[in-house]
Amino acid sequence: MVGYNLRPRQRNGLVSKQEDPPALESNNTPAKPSKESKPTMGELNRKVQTIIAKSSWWDRYGVDWCIILLSVCALLPIAVLLLRSDDWGPFLIGLALLGLIHSMFKTKISHLAAHGALCKSKGWNTIWQYLFIEFFGSFSAVSSMDIHLKVHHPYTNIVGLGDSAIWRVPFLPCFTYMFVAPLLLPPLTPVVAMGNLIVDKKFVAAVKCLIVVTCGLVANVWFIMWAGAMTCTKAIICILVYRAPMEIPYIHVNIFQHIGLPMYSRENHPPRLQLMCNGALNLTRAPIINWFFGHSLVDCHVEHHLFPTLSDNMCAKVKPVVKEYILGHGLPYQEEEYWDRLKLFVKKYKELMVNAPPITEFIGIQ
């Protein structure tokens, strides 16, 4: 069993006004600890690897590709047809469908590609990274690796590293941050990508990113001009409009699953298993977001942080075993409904998104 002291302490001369991380309204409270053995990442890993070894290519990769292809084949023809409508209603529905497709490319597929979870081949995964992160997503594949794989995952909820502070914009009021500012992400995304690479002095990567992102945007504009029989200016406006709405839940997902949970210092934090159990959260009852963002980013985020190279379908497949193991050893398994988390962040916005987070003191494993 893990012992914790949740008293906040000073960080960089500042004392958080929070006394404890906000309590989760979850039914998944730790079960009575198992007396047989202490929980270890190695033991859980062996259980999961047994499931992986027995899984077919269809389970590991095929289901996710099927979801992607079915979504595109089902939605894209309808979207193109509706874009040619002279009525505002069908036209806007067409834009909404394009937004869902783009969101799947930019979020679900890009995330899986970044983790090498789209196929076994490293070469093909690299191609998918540049195709979906840069060409379709208008961001930098190199920056994605640096921020997400090299910092966020190894240092989840470690203050100053993977504490999700990148998502905090404390000078913005609650409503603006939660529901308005995300709409500006489409035009800002390539600018931020280039800025990150230039600041890091990765000039070659910046040039490559600029070329790929520009090609992607030009192709996108051309496609919308053809699909909707419209001018270049109208096509650009349409792209900005249909890319914006899904950025709202995108921001929500990124903050809901880590902020408000225990944060630790780099010098004093629990082992990986206990760190991920306490520092990651699954979002439930969000079917549309789950379909277009993927299990690993929504309802299997705990499993994803424990086993980041698994595909969305495999995260869902190992979830029962992971959940049983975690709860069976008295560890917290964090789950909460999307709408409950949203209400919590609106209610405690200053506490969660403005004030400095308290640092949880890790006592040790008993």
Side-chain angles (χ1 to χ4, degrees):
M1 184 177 179
V2 182
Y4 296 99
N5 180 347
L6 297 180
R7 294 171 299 179
R9 62 182 174 87
Q10 287 190 350
R11 180 173 67 86
N12 298 329
L14 297 175
V15 178
S16 170
K17 296 181 180 179
Q18 283 183 284
E19 295 181 355
D20 292 301
L24 296 178
E25 298 177 4
S26 173
N27 294 324
N28 296 291
T29 54
K32 186 177 180 180
S34 171
K35 295 182 179 180
E36 296 180 358
S37 62
K38 294 181 180 179
T40 64
M41 189 64 203
E43 183 181 17
L44 178 58
N45 183 58
R46 285 191 291 273
K47 292 178 178 291
V48 170
Q49 290 301 324
T50 299
I51 297 174
I52 296 173
K54 295 179 179 179
S55 300
S56 64
W57 178 90
W58 174 257
D59 287 326
R60 284 178 286 159
Y61 307 112
V63 172
D64 287 301
W65 277 111
C66 185
I67 290 173
I68 292 166
L69 294 174
L70 282 176
S71 299
V72 174
C73 292
L75 298 181
L76 189 58
I78 300 174
V80 171
L81 181 64
L82 294 177
L83 280 183
R84 295 179 179 272
S85 175
D86 294 328
D87 297 328
W88 277 102
F91 179 78
L92 292 176
I93 293 174
L95 288 182
L97 295 179
L98 288 176
L100 292 175
I101 296 171
H102 176 262
S103 179
M104 177 172 276
F105 285 1
K106 169 188 173 288
T107 308
K108 175 185 172 75
I109 311 179
S110 293
H111 184 239
L112 291 175
H115 284 282
L118 280 174
C119 61
K120 190 174 182 179
S121 169
K122 292 183 178 180
W124 275 106
N125 269 306
T126 300
I127 293 174
W128 301 138
Q129 287 168 13
Y130 284 95
L131 178 63
F132 291 104
I133 297 175
E134 295 194 353
F135 188 84
F136 287 114
S138 302
F139 196 66
S140 164
V142 173
S143 290
S144 294
M145 303 300 142
D146 291 343
I147 297 170
H148 192 70
L149 270 65
K150 296 180 181 179
V151 177
H152 176 64
H153 272 270
Y155 303 101
T156 301
N157 284 33
I158 302 299
V159 173
L161 292 167
D163 58 359
S164 299
I166 190 174
W167 300 107
R168 297 177 186 270
V169 188
F171 61 84
L172 290 180
C174 176
F175 183 83
T176 302
Y177 177 86
M178 299 291 288
F179 304 105
V180 179
L183 302 176
L184 300 177
L185 282 180
L188 291 178
T189 297
V191 177
V192 172
M194 295 303 300
N196 286 340
L197 293 172
I198 292 173
V199 169
D200 293 339
K201 297 182 179 180
K202 297 182 177 181
F203 302 115
V204 175
V207 172
K208 291 180 180 178
C209 179
L210 180 62
I211 294 173
V212 178
V213 169
T214 300
C215 289
L217 291 173
V218 169
N220 198 173
V221 171
W222 175 85
F223 174 77
I224 298 301
M225 290 175 63
W226 168 80
M230 61 183 70
T231 64
C232 179
T233 301
K234 289 182 179 179
I236 293 173
I237 293 173
C238 286
I239 290 171
L240 294 176
V241 169
Y242 77 66
R243 287 189 177 192
M246 289 298 284
E247 298 291 357
I248 295 176
Y250 175 75
I251 291 293
H252 292 174
V253 166
N254 277 284
I255 64 176
F256 291 175
Q257 293 178 320
H258 297 287
I259 294 178
L261 301 180
M263 297 284 175
Y264 304 90
S265 67
R266 188 169 186 175
E267 297 76 21
N268 183 263
H269 62 81
R272 178 175 175 80
L273 175 59
Q274 288 78 6
L275 178 62
M276 299 309 168
C277 289
N278 285 277
L281 174 144
N282 292 340
L283 293 173
T284 62
R285 301 205 176 190
I288 295 178
I289 297 174
N290 200 47
W291 181 270
F292 290 99
F293 285 7
H295 293 298
S296 59
L297 280 175
V298 186
D299 67 341
C300 296
H301 201 57
V302 174
E303 289 73 18
H304 169 66
H305 267 266
L306 289 169
F307 305 98
T309 59
L310 294 184
S311 65
D312 282 341
N313 184 63
M314 285 304 298
C315 282
K317 187 173 182 178
V318 305
K319 182 176 181 176
V321 171
V322 172
K323 183 175 181 178
E324 180 182 9
Y325 183 85
I326 290 174
L327 293 177
H329 284 82
L331 295 173
Y333 185 83
Q334 318 269 26
E335 279 191 311
E336 191 171 359
E337 292 186 17
Y338 177 91
W339 296 109
D340 288 339
R341 203 72 175 149
L342 177 60
K343 288 185 287 187
L344 175 68
F345 270 70
V346 170
K347 181 180 180 180
K348 297 187 176 182
Y349 177 78
K350 184 178 180 180
E351 183 179 341
L352 293 168
M353 299 301 296
V354 178
N355 295 338
I359 299 178
T360 300
E361 297 283 359
F362 173 65
I363 297 174
I365 302 176
Q366 299 176 351

